[in-house]
Amino acid sequence: MNNNNNNSETKMNGVGVGDGDEMIKSQNFDPSAIPPFKINQIRAAIPDHCWIKNPWRSISYVLRDLLLVSALIAAALQFINIWYFWPLYWLAQGTMFWAIFVLGHDCGHGSFSDSPTLNNFMGHILHSSILVPYHGWRISHRTHHQNHGNIEKDESWVPLPEKLYKKLDKSSRYLRFSVPLPLLAYPLYLVYRSPGKEGSHFNPYSSLFAPSERKLIVTSTLCWISMLTLLACLSFVFGPIQILKLYGVPYLVFVMWLDFVTYLHHHGHEEKLPWYRGKEWSYLRGGLTTVDRDYGLFNNIHHDIGTHVIHHLFPQIPHYHLVEATEAAKHVLGKYYREPKKSGPVPFHLIENLVRSLSEDHYVSDTGGVVFYQTDPLLHQVPEAKSK
């Protein structure tokens, strides 16, 4: 990193204002340069009240989301024979499943309330209802936050080292980087984790978990099985097609939301962002590689999960304070904070980011403490037909 350190003073000079900002920024700023501030300076910039967790306010969001889920089910039963209603229902209900996941995510971080008992109780209700093993996910997600941006230890959407990438058969590579297939990865991740990692979120003896956490995993797995059993019973009562329409398709929409949002938190920025190994990694440097996104009208619906940089550095801040906390910290972060592109009501622009990233960001070098994604030019190349 000597080159980065020698150049960092030059690269931290001011950036002009106007249409050429992004070009100047990319030319004059190295995102892998060691930041000239400490994490405590960011913390100090955030108002004290942003750290306060209000359990009643958190519960009010749960009630809001459950009311909307119930209203959508009631509407579906009312318009059950109107075919063009169902696609609208699936999109809306799948989005609400995703919103419920985010509230359970807050429980997992302890930002829902100061009570671990309340957090775990609500987390099990919320996550089990959408077939997520609460403790299993909570613990692996904690690992992700503690090691964000670390190729060797991160847990979520981690880049493949070149050697591991080349060990994958061509079909596996193609499936991993071809839209929309990566948007359906989450259930497989829960069972198998990512390439190069072993273990399951349902297995208490998985390497994901410490021996002291095994009882927690059993509890969450039993809750998950209970929800699956309930769905099976409802299928016998109302028919599998009706449960597929009411729950199954919205579940797939939820999975796509989850994979879409979580991937873009760490990939797809217009500027290539670094990943770290060994001594080059630090909690602050890793956290600064995350990306905020604007989801238009969905920002409020999914509880500002797109406001992600400050969340990654300080996951104990409740979601309803993240926007204010981010605004307060921007003057400290400087150019290490990347303003999200403003969205219209529907964030169609992010589809372009996703497609571009999956077509370019395939693997990283096997060596080096600071690395950037590289592209496999042959991945999507159609083989030429052999001449007769």
Side-chain angles (χ1 to χ4, degrees):
M1 282 298 294
N2 289 338
N3 291 338
N4 285 337
N5 290 338
N6 292 339
N7 295 332
S8 62
E9 184 175 348
T10 302
K11 294 176 180 178
M12 285 302 295
N13 289 337
V15 177
V17 177
D19 292 340
D21 275 7
E22 289 303 317
M23 183 178 296
I24 294 171
K25 186 174 181 180
S26 62
Q27 290 175 347
N28 294 341
F29 176 64
D30 178 3
S32 69
I34 297 175
F37 49 83
K38 304 296 183 184
I39 195 167
N40 286 341
Q41 293 174 265
I42 308 173
R43 185 191 302 271
I46 298 173
D48 290 343
H49 68 267
C50 288
W51 304 88
I52 296 174
K53 308 161 192 174
N54 183 336
W56 295 109
R57 185 170 181 180
S58 297
I59 289 172
S60 74
Y61 287 109
V62 173
L63 294 176
R64 183 197 77 172
D65 288 358
L66 293 180
L67 179 63
L68 288 170
V69 168
S70 301
L72 286 168
I73 293 174
L77 296 176
Q78 179 69 27
F79 300 108
I80 195 166
N81 294 319
I82 302 177
W83 68 266
Y84 54 81
F85 168 81
W86 285 102
L88 299 175
Y89 169 81
W90 293 330
L91 291 172
Q93 192 70 291
T95 301
M96 291 314 304
F97 282 15
W98 164 234
I100 285 174
F101 174 88
V102 175
L103 292 177
H105 157 272
D106 286 2
C107 294
H109 280 301
S111 61
F112 189 90
S113 77
D114 285 318
S115 168
T117 301
L118 178 61
N119 293 336
N120 291 335
F121 176 75
M122 293 303 301
H124 272 102
I125 291 176
L126 294 167
H127 273 188
S128 298
S129 71
I130 50 173
L131 293 178
V132 174
Y134 171 70
H135 280 308
W137 169 86
R138 176 185 66 80
I139 293 167
S140 73
H141 191 66
R142 180 188 66 196
T143 300
H144 165 55
H145 269 258
Q146 291 173 342
N147 299 280
H148 44 211
N150 187 323
I151 296 168
E152 299 164 317
K153 298 179 181 179
D154 200 346
E155 178 63 27
S156 178
W157 293 113
V158 190
L160 297 176
E162 184 174 8
K163 187 180 295 184
L164 177 58
Y165 174 83
K166 290 184 175 179
K167 283 183 179 179
L168 297 177
D169 59 74
K170 187 169 179 61
S171 62
S172 296
R173 290 186 226 167
Y174 186 83
L175 292 173
R176 183 177 173 88
F177 296 103
S178 299
V179 177
L181 298 173
L183 298 182
L184 301 171
Y186 185 64
L188 296 175
Y189 164 72
L190 290 176
V191 178
Y192 301 109
R193 295 178 75 190
S194 302
K197 298 178 182 291
E198 295 180 353
S200 167
H201 288 75
F202 301 95
N203 181 0
Y205 293 92
S206 167
S207 59
L208 273 166
F209 314 120
S212 59
E213 296 169 329
R214 287 172 182 165
K215 289 183 180 180
L216 301 177
I217 305 308
V218 170
T219 300
S220 293
T221 300
L222 288 175
C223 289
W224 184 91
I225 292 172
S226 297
M227 182 61 193
L228 200 63
T229 303
L230 175 62
L231 291 171
C233 292
L234 291 173
S235 296
F236 278 110
V237 175
F238 300 103
I241 299 300
Q242 292 303 331
I243 299 305
L244 178 66
K245 290 164 65 177
L246 286 169
Y247 184 94
V249 179
Y251 172 80
L252 290 178
V253 173
F254 147 63
V255 166
M256 296 181 77
W257 261 117
L258 188 152
D259 285 322
F260 179 71
V261 172
T262 56
Y263 182 87
L264 290 176
H265 282 161
H266 303 278
H267 299 77
H269 194 264
E270 290 75 7
E271 174 187 15
K272 289 286 186 181
L273 299 178
W275 288 78
Y276 300 102
R277 281 194 184 93
K279 294 181 180 179
E280 292 292 356
W281 180 86
S282 72
Y283 183 83
L284 176 58
R285 294 181 82 187
L288 293 176
T289 66
T290 58
V291 180
D292 278 9
R293 301 290 188 181
D294 182 6
Y295 291 93
L297 65 84
F298 296 98
N299 287 331
N300 179 264
I301 295 172
H302 64 199
H303 309 293
D304 289 314
I305 193 65
T307 310
H308 206 65
V309 177
I310 289 299
H311 166 68
H312 244 272
L313 293 172
F314 308 109
Q316 63 271 39
I317 295 178
H319 75 264
Y320 42 82
H321 290 317
L322 284 174
V323 173
E324 182 181 359
T326 298
E327 288 297 324
K330 282 181 183 179
H331 75 279
V332 179
L333 297 171
K335 286 177 283 187
Y336 287 86
Y337 179 77
R338 291 160 282 275
E339 285 284 352
K341 182 178 179 180
K342 293 300 179 184
S343 175
V346 179
F348 291 118
H349 68 288
L350 293 178
I351 298 174
E352 180 184 349
N353 292 76
L354 175 74
V355 173
R356 186 187 66 250
S357 178
L358 289 172
S359 66
E360 297 177 354
D361 301 336
H362 298 150
Y363 61 86
V364 295
S365 173
D366 293 319
T367 60
V370 181
V371 295
F372 294 81
Y373 266 112
Q374 299 180 41
T375 302
D376 177 1
L378 302 178
L379 178 62
H380 293 99
Q381 191 176 79
V382 178
E384 296 182 4
K386 293 182 180 180
S387 57
K388 294 182 180 180

